[in-house]
Amino acid sequence: MYFNPPVSATPLFALSPKPAEIGSATSAFSPAFAATKPFTPSLVERVPETTLPALAMTGASHPFRGLSSHDSSYPRRSLDATALDWRGSGDGLTATAGAEFLAELDVMVPPAPGLDEDLAAALAALPAGKAGAGDSSAVDLTITVSRGDTLMELLSEQDVPLAEAHDAIEALRKSFDPREIRPGHELTLSFEPRDEGAPLFRGLSFEPTIGTTITLNRTAENGFTSTKQEAKLVRKVARYDGEISSSLFEAGIKAGIEQTALSEMIRIYSYDVDFQRDLQKGDRFSMFYEQYYTDDGRLVRAGDVLFASMTLSGTVMPLYRFEDTEGFVDYYNSKGEGIRKALLRTPINGARLSSGFGLRRHPVLGFSKMHKGVDFAAPPGTPIYAAGDGVVEKAGPFSSYGNYVRIRHTEDYKTAYAHMKGFATGITAGKRVRQGQVIGYVGTTGRSTGPHLHYEILRQNAQVNPMGVRFPSGKSLRGKELAAFQKERARVDMAFQATPSGTKLASAN
């Protein structure tokens, strides 16, 4: 796309290679073509009113589109050969048309697209003679990525040559996968105006996530290089408190807690709390956790949960983060007893218990049948976690269970997960998994009426009620470790009490 002076009031179209006449246009008729006879103009289209009207015409064997858009989808209008008076010379080609034809053209043919109007205006505003190659004067254009956009398409729309766009994308891959560009990302493209020709693409920059900047620059050799820069983060600690009316997740989001931190709280309490049955309206919770910000105050991510507390039916259940002498981090109650149990009773976050263990009327078969597990209704794709450390015995389609995973944890205990949409990467028979590891995703395969997880605990190969199984506590701290934990606990309690709810305090520790 090229930029040209305003249209003269004189009904004269002129195409010429002379910069004084048509600005920075580089598409020009060669003398050989200009002399080609006969000229049979058959198509015409128009670019924005601030630019010279563009003509597309056909010679004896030469297709040519003057200063027109590269987008062939825009309307064109057929003309009789007598509509314009064509005259060719070695300097170009001119065509004269009457006022009646120009008026008709304005009405019938919409503008064709060009480079972004803001960029065009910025380029046009640059002083004459200040746009030479290598000049520091550059024009930035910000583009918001829309659904379905690709980087190649976005660059092509701004008339970046195909070869350059390809080289730029290949260079970008060293710092960022271009396929990860998402709707809403804002790309800043930089162009350098030139005395002749289209503006030179200098590079781009954008933030794929807050605090991460990807930059692409043209090199002196006219190649491209990319860099990834992480912003220096400021650590803060935040306190949030809330009252539960329906679910912990809903109450936490309402209080302003990030989903990642809230999911971690649900995970650490899932060893002891049945989030479907144990929660009552009026129960309360508190969280004390890290948040990381950029220097300009934008939240990048949530950090570790330092302390959490739930008050269920009047019983207070505090948990503290602590790193033991071997470097392992876990959560402990006020007595120094670890939260981990042999198995999770609810291996999924934010789900609703839709069917319990026991005799029920089967929703598909229509008659009473023993339900040998529990069902958790959740949106398709919700992650499913391994209930405990173990080895995958089976992973694949299995009878009416649909996509199914069974894990052996001990000689006595196994867990099973059914109706899954799909499996996490690497989950196959013989694979060793850790407690809390994602093994698959909620779906509705097999004999199922909707997306949910069917979860079973098997003791000596017989299904038992997951909600009724009780497991002993995990690791308990002793001696010097317990003393160190109690010291850390006192420090966290003091900081928590000194922090008002909803407050974020900067901290170096």
Side-chain angles (χ1 to χ4, degrees), residues 274 277 345-346 353 374 376 455 464-470:
D274 177 351
R277 298 184 179 185
R345 287 192 295 154
T346 54
L353 183 66
V374 291
F376 295 98
Y455 175 54
V464 295
N465 186 356
M467 299 298 122
V469 178
R470 297 294 174 184

Side-chain angles (χ1 to χ4, degrees), residues 106-192:
D106 279 338
V107 172
M108 299 188 65
V109 183
L115 279 174
D116 185 274
E117 292 182 2
D118 293 336
L119 178 59
L123 288 169
L126 289 176
K130 298 296 184 181
D135 187 78
S136 60
S137 299
V139 177
D140 290 340
L141 169 67
T142 299
I143 298 175
T144 300
V145 179
S146 299
R147 184 178 179 87
D149 284 346
T150 66
L151 184 56
M152 178 62 78
E153 290 171 346
L154 294 173
L155 294 177
S156 296
E157 287 173 1
Q158 300 306 322
D159 280 357
V160 177
L162 182 62
E164 286 193 3
H166 178 270
D167 291 346
I169 292 172
E170 286 304 307
L172 187 66
R173 292 185 195 279
K174 297 178 180 179
S175 304
F176 179 80
D177 185 350
R179 294 172 299 180
E180 295 300 315
I181 287 179
R182 296 288 182 262
H185 283 167
E186 291 190 345
L187 310 182
T188 299
L189 278 60
S190 181
F191 293 88
E192 178 184 311

Side-chain angles (χ1 to χ4, degrees), residues 373-447:
V374 291
D375 292 345
F376 295 98
T382 300
I384 298 167
Y385 306 106
D389 295 352
V391 176
V392 176
E393 281 193 336
K394 184 176 180 60
F398 181 48
S399 186
S400 60
Y401 286 107
N403 289 331
Y404 172 89
V405 169
R406 186 171 65 243
I407 301 172
R408 183 180 73 255
H409 303 284
T410 67
E411 291 184 1
D412 291 331
Y413 284 97
K414 300 178 182 179
T415 54
Y417 317 77
H419 306 306
M420 301 163 71
K421 177 181 180 180
F423 309 100
T425 302
I427 299 302
T428 57
K431 175 74 173 181
R432 182 169 292 278
V433 294
R434 299 298 304 271
Q435 190 173 60
Q437 179 179 338
V438 176
I439 59 172
Y441 307 92
V442 169
T444 184
T445 57
R447 189 180 294 158

Side-chain angles (χ1 to χ4, degrees), residues 277 353-363 367-375 454-457 463-468:
R277 298 184 179 185
L353 183 66
S354 57
S355 184
F357 186 92
L359 193 66
R360 66 165 187 174
R361 182 178 179 83
H362 197 281
F367 55 81
S368 295
K369 190 176 186 293
M370 186 67 179
H371 189 228
K372 297 182 180 181
V374 291
D375 292 345
H454 174 81
Y455 175 54
E456 297 179 354
I457 292 181
Q463 290 95 338
V464 295
N465 186 356
M467 299 298 122

Side-chain angles (χ1 to χ4, degrees), residues 2 21 28 35 69 114 117 163 200 208 225 290 374 418:
Y2 307 102
E21 295 180 24
S69 163
E117 292 182 2
L200 181 69
T225 183
E290 298 171 324
V374 291

Side-chain angles (χ1 to χ4, degrees), residues 288 305-309 316-323 330-337 477 480-498:
F288 195 51
V305 176
L306 306 177
F307 165 77
S309 178
V316 181
M317 303 171 62
L319 293 176
Y320 299 84
R321 184 181 185 274
F322 180 71
E323 182 177 339
D330 213 335
Y331 290 86
Y332 299 83
N333 63 20
S334 57
K335 298 178 180 179
E337 298 171 339
L477 301 174
K480 292 182 179 180
E481 276 194 331
L482 180 58
F485 166 76
Q486 295 295 0
K487 183 178 179 179
E488 174 67 9
R489 173 196 167 198
R491 187 186 73 84
V492 170
D493 281 343
M494 185 179 298
F496 176 77
Q497 295 299 331

